[in-house]
Amino acid sequence: MTKNPPRQQLGPAPNARRHLPPILRTVLSLGDLEPAARRVLPRPIFGYLQGGVEDNVTLQANSGAYRKWMFRTNVLVDVSLRSQSRHLMGQTYKAPFGIAPMGLCALFSFDGDVAMARAAEAAGIPYVLSGASLTRMERVAQAAPTCAWFQAYIPGETAHIEGLLERVANAGFKTLVITVDTATLANRENNVRVGFSTPLRPSLRLAWDGLVRPRWLIGTLGRTLVKNGIPHFENAGPGRGVPIISSNVVRQFGLRDHLNWDHLALIRELWQGKLVIKGLISANDVKRAEQVGADGVILSNHGGRQLDGTVPPLLVLSDAAKAKGSMALMLDSGIRRGTDVIKALALGADHVFVGRPMAYAAAVGGQAGVTHAIDLLREEIHRDMALIGVKDLNELGNDQLVAV
């Protein structure tokens, strides 16, 4: 009698996840990180991180945009030697995605900015430190000497621009990202509803929200206060900004509504490294960025956190690709799967950035959590390339996609 062949095992072996900390073993995708972070973070801080603006129309549309395309696959292609390395603005990265800039990460996880930077450096992907971070840029530059970029919120004030650029250069950053979609403060009603403000105002409600999340209270806030003192906005300008917890200090945002293309031209003249402009949606603005001398642009609607109703970057990507000239074309907002990354690349992106899931990962598991999130996304892309039938990401194009 012929023996039955052994059954093929689908998915990872039962013990394949034992190397992970217990809290990460049930995290099978980036989507699993949000509910996990909700269980760790106090309500105001989680609400700030998760929320968009007004009715969350853009926030929801960002992820929905990726469902407007389906794949046309090619079979019987030898994909055994496939690679997802990516050449971007003179540097080769090991994956086609990076970590987007997010403020206040030191509130999500102890030394959150450094944890993300170290995970990105080890993985060989770009990490963008936010100008609204609570960790000195000099420390982060040391943690990721080859992969760290710095993102700045720039007011239309020449003296401020000159001082900040000098500090960024002295810290060792080679790539500067200027965010240009924050001419005024957004109407973030969600922050009011969950009791979040910057700076945070001490109150009985805030104290209770911390007490019911003891892991965060001890492991993040308590550890931070003991080792680093009260966090401050460290990188908004040439000097130190205001503390994140205060009963009477007001955070200053400067003359951001004065910022214009002339200031971008000045920045290009002063900054000797790579210059990236973030927050563009219009193909006309992409063309102007190329004319002013930018090395790259990041299509972005700020993750749905600025103007509600702004179109998702993915939906304007094809037009932007026609206008980019010699610049690198990147995007963020809404990416949650390897298939999302591949769709963006097929439509003309050179690279993409992932935001909230990486912050959730830091909240859940610190540096190990961010590393796990990076690995999950990279493994999905590796698998997806085989199933689509490409061995190099440069083979991707519109012919692999069908609009639905």
Side-chain angles (χ1 to χ4, degrees), residues 233-270:
F233 288 96
E234 297 284 3
N235 304 312
R240 194 180 204 191
V242 302
I244 187 59
I245 301 174
S246 175
S247 59
N248 53 18
V249 169
V250 177
R251 185 180 173 193
Q252 298 297 321
F253 290 89
L255 304 176
R256 291 188 192 174
D257 56 352
H258 286 54
L259 189 68
N260 59 60
W261 289 103
D262 291 338
H263 294 109
L264 266 294
L266 172 63
I267 292 169
R268 176 68 286 179
E269 180 182 339
L270 296 174

Side-chain angles (χ1 to χ4, degrees), residues 52-53 55-69 281 301 303-305 307-316 331-336 340 356:
V53 64
D55 298 318
N56 290 328
V57 172
T58 294
L59 178 65
Q60 295 164 11
N62 281 340
S63 57
Y66 291 90
R67 297 181 177 90
K68 296 182 182 294
W69 280 274
I281 286 293
N301 56 34
R305 296 168 71 87
L307 175 64
D308 204 20
T310 303
V311 64
L314 192 73
L315 301 186
V316 298
L331 89 163
D332 65 17
S333 304
I335 290 173
R336 297 295 182 268
D340 297 341
R356 288 181 180 89

Side-chain angles (χ1 to χ4, degrees), residues 306-367:
Q306 281 299 106
L307 175 64
D308 204 20
T310 303
V311 64
L314 192 73
L315 301 186
V316 298
L317 180 55
S318 295
D319 289 338
K322 298 172 186 175
K324 73 168 188 171
S326 60
M327 296 187 301
L329 179 60
M330 300 160 275
L331 89 163
D332 65 17
S333 304
I335 290 173
R336 297 295 182 268
R337 285 285 186 182
T339 49
D340 297 341
V341 176
I342 289 177
K343 288 174 184 178
L345 299 180
L347 289 169
D350 296 306
H351 216 80
V352 304
F353 288 88
V354 182
R356 288 181 180 89
M358 297 300 174
Y360 294 144
V364 174
Q367 183 176 336

